[in-house]
Amino acid sequence: MSHVFPASLQAPRSRLSSNGPELSRIVAGMWRIGEWNMSAQQRLAFIEQCLALGVSSFDHADIYGDYSAEGLFGEALALQPGLRDKMELVSKCGIKLLSPHRPGHAIQHYDTSAAHITSSVEHTLRQLHTDRLDLLLIHRPDPLMDFDEISGAFTQLKAAGKVLHFGVSNFSRHQFECLHRRFPLVTNQVEFSPLHVAPLFDETFDGLQDVGVAPMIWSPLAGGRLFQGGDANVENLRNVIKQIADQLQRPFASVVFAWIMQLPCRPLPLTGTGRIEAVAVAVEGTQFTLSRSDWFAILRAARGHEVA
């Protein structure tokens, strides 16, 4: 099915840090690609539709889809290898799942050893049918992580040209800064939405803004919980967002994406959808800015109380 969006609907580009890569401001998350029930040709068509909207950055992880998501994307990309140079590929490593695909894993755990980081990258490159990643993230903080060892692995992967830039995901401000002092990180991918505002108040965003690093945002729509059900607080939040969306004559989700992108740390939100219309709605969030009072009306509803 082909969709025609206005030519003006284009995601702008955004640099993650002064020495970091330029990504599309909206990043297409591939976590659920296995649930979209698409043929390789349909996956390729979706990738091409994203690129037409200026959404050129695709977010992966080795474990997504029980270790199958990267392969599904790579299979589609192999149908049109020339597209690789028009996109940025992001992946993550450092979690070992219990899986029939990984019979050697006896317990679900983290592994940020240099050996695991390196072997994960090799596997990801094969799965994605590419010779390089634009960005590699450590997926979760690991109690056994050795910052110097991780830094050494990053240095070697960069020297080999296999990974161009490095970051982390779900790290606290302190964890980020410990590794960043040893090796320049370009992002921290964290959960943030009107239903999860902790990074505003736990120094995550302040710390990143301070060092000039933009976060990436997973679950910006709270996994869809903003759209349905929930308690009285969620209901009230939904009504506040809907009221603002109606006044601005913008889609509900566009308002949420705009609210997130208004933060001065310049976040790059991820989509999680296989529907190109929903990607377009996210891109529309890059086209307007909320008034400060509308922005705080959403925060107030999100927190359930006034700012003091």
Side-chain angles (χ1 to χ4, degrees):
M1 192 187 298
S2 65
H3 298 272
V4 181
F5 301 108
S8 59
L9 191 59
Q10 281 285 307
R13 299 187 65 69
S14 191
R15 195 167 287 288
L16 287 175
S17 69
S18 59
N19 62 349
E22 199 178 65
L23 302 186
S24 50
R25 189 68 195 272
I26 299 294
V27 175
M30 296 290 113
W31 174 39
R32 289 199 170 102
I33 189 172
E35 298 167 26
W36 299 344
N37 297 319
M38 292 179 178
S39 66
Q41 199 63 54
Q42 288 169 320
R43 278 175 257 138
L44 174 62
F46 178 74
I47 291 166
E48 290 176 321
Q49 289 168 327
C50 287
L51 291 170
L53 284 168
V55 176
S56 61
S57 304
F58 296 87
D59 180 81
H60 297 271
D62 55 354
I63 61 170
Y64 287 169
D66 194 18
Y67 295 99
S68 69
E70 290 178 329
L72 292 172
F73 187 93
E75 186 186 18
L77 188 54
L79 298 174
Q80 194 73 274
L83 292 180
R84 173 61 186 97
D85 294 333
K86 298 179 179 177
M87 63 174 63
E88 301 82 42
L89 293 177
V90 182
S91 195
K92 310 176 204 75
C93 68
I95 302 176
K96 286 183 167 176
L97 297 182
L98 283 178
S99 166
H101 302 291
R102 294 292 184 278
H105 296 180
I107 183 175
Q108 184 161 317
H109 65 289
Y110 301 131
D111 188 346
T112 55
S113 65
H116 180 67
I117 291 170
T118 306
S119 67
S120 295
V121 167
E122 299 286 1
H123 185 260
T124 287
L125 294 177
R126 285 195 299 273
Q127 294 294 100
L128 290 174
H129 289 270
T130 185
D131 61 350
R132 70 200 181 279
L133 282 177
D134 295 277
L135 176 58
L136 175 72
L137 311 179
I138 299 294
H139 205 152
R140 294 257 172 199
D142 167 14
L144 294 178
M145 65 186 164
D146 179 321
F147 296 120
D148 294 321
E149 185 177 357
I150 294 171
S151 170
F154 285 0
T155 302
Q156 288 189 329
L157 286 165
K158 190 175 177 75
K162 291 176 180 176
V163 182
L164 307 184
H165 301 276
F166 299 83
V168 294
S169 185
N170 306 301
F171 274 45
S172 70
R173 177 182 182 172
H174 186 65
Q175 290 163 336
F176 177 91
E177 289 174 353
C178 287
L179 185 52
H180 186 54
R181 272 194 291 275
R182 292 162 169 85
F183 190 98
L185 303 176
V186 302
T187 195
N188 185 9
Q189 186 180 122
V190 297
E191 181 182 6
F192 180 67
S193 75
L195 287 177
H196 184 83
V197 296
L200 288 174
F201 304 104
D202 65 9
E203 303 185 359
T204 300
F205 288 160
D206 297 333
L208 291 170
Q209 186 188 338
D210 183 43
V211 294
V213 168
M216 296 171 73
I217 304 300
W218 62 268
S219 207
L221 301 174
R225 284 183 300 132
L226 278 175
F227 298 106
Q228 79 265 328
D231 58 22
N233 277 351
V234 177
E235 199 61 48
N236 179 53
L237 172 61
R238 186 183 302 116
N239 289 335
V240 168
I241 296 170
K242 187 179 182 316
Q243 207 173 354
I244 292 168
D246 290 347
Q247 282 167 359
L248 296 175
Q249 297 185 297
R250 298 284 187 177
F252 179 97
S254 300
V255 170
V256 178
F257 278 97
W259 183 80
I260 290 169
M261 288 186 281
Q262 206 148 328
L263 291 169
C265 58
R266 301 176 295 107
L268 284 72
L270 276 63
T271 61
T273 178
R275 292 175 47 248
I276 198 65
E277 304 91 333
V279 177
V281 165
V283 173
E284 189 173 336
T286 67
Q287 314 281 294
F288 63 97
T289 305
L290 301 175
S291 70
R292 194 168 272 248
S293 56
D294 280 349
W295 194 93
F296 274 97
I298 293 172
L299 180 65
R300 179 180 64 184
R303 298 178 83 197
H305 60 78
E306 294 284 4
V307 299

